[in-house]
Amino acid sequence: MLIDSSVEFTRLLPPHARLLGLDVGKTTIGLALSDVMRSIASPLETIDRKKFDKDMERLKAVIASHAIGGLVIGYPVNMDGSHGPRTQSTRTFVSTMKKHVTLPMLLWDERLSTMAVERAMLEADLSRQRRAQLVDKLAASYMLQGFLDSVN
């Protein structure tokens, strides 16, 4: 179920259930995991998108193995606050996902998350190949941490 308000979303979460952050892209889905106290987000993995059913199978396995209580999904709003093709693509993904996952879901503004993560990786002098391996799950972690910081 898609929730519009972070306050309402937080109220619906079971105590001590972890949150899963998703950074949904065209070819990958970056995943991040919160701790049970919902104060720290950590990068988890990157799913290479294949077919929707396969993506959902992997996502459900992650949800079950980490006792996830809710999903925080990065919402790629344009810098001026407008909605473009990427926001529509994310909404379509979430709309379809709601048929397979019954947890509370929240769309969270992810503006600048990928850019901030890429800048940090450049400063750390990571190779282009290593940056490509890490960027999606790190962006999911950065976005989820932003949500956690806002509600704590």
Side-chain angles (χ1 to χ4, degrees):
M1 98 189 77
L2 187 59
I3 309 300
D4 292 333
S5 151
S6 59
V7 172
E8 177 71 11
F9 174 77
T10 304
R11 191 180 63 73
L12 291 172
L13 298 172
H16 305 295
R18 296 174 185 266
L19 297 179
L20 187 65
L22 282 73
D23 180 35
V24 181
K26 288 180 185 176
T27 59
T28 61
I29 304 170
L31 302 180
L33 187 63
S34 79
D35 62 328
V36 295
M37 298 306 293
R38 298 187 202 127
S39 58
I40 299 172
S42 301
L44 184 62
E45 70 177 78
T46 301
I47 298 173
D48 289 321
R49 293 185 71 180
K50 294 175 175 59
K51 295 178 89 178
F52 185 83
D53 290 340
K54 290 281 186 196
D55 301 343
M56 283 301 102
E57 188 178 300
R58 180 63 197 140
L59 198 54
K60 286 180 184 180
V62 169
I63 288 168
S65 68
H66 293 285
I68 302 298
L71 305 178
V72 179
I73 302 152
Y75 197 46
V77 178
N78 293 330
M79 288 304 295
D80 64 0
S82 65
H83 297 240
R86 289 192 59 228
T87 55
Q88 183 54 47
S89 175
T90 299
R91 277 202 169 277
T92 300
F93 180 85
V94 170
S95 178
T96 308
M97 185 172 60
K98 288 190 309 187
K99 299 171 188 166
H100 300 270
V101 177
T102 58
L103 295 172
M105 298 179 209
L106 176 73
L107 293 175
W108 187 256
D109 187 344
E110 67 166 46
R111 277 182 268 196
L112 300 178
S113 62
T114 301
M115 186 183 308
V117 166
E118 285 177 347
R119 183 175 299 132
M121 288 190 296
L122 283 169
E123 289 173 6
D125 201 28
L126 295 180
S127 70
R128 183 181 306 248
Q129 180 181 6
R130 187 68 178 138
R131 290 193 314 262
Q133 293 170 342
L134 296 174
V135 68
D136 297 311
K137 64 184 176 182
L138 289 175
S141 179
Y142 185 91
M143 179 272 306
L144 180 57
Q145 188 65 54
F147 168 76
L148 296 172
D149 291 346
S150 79
V151 296
N152 290 329

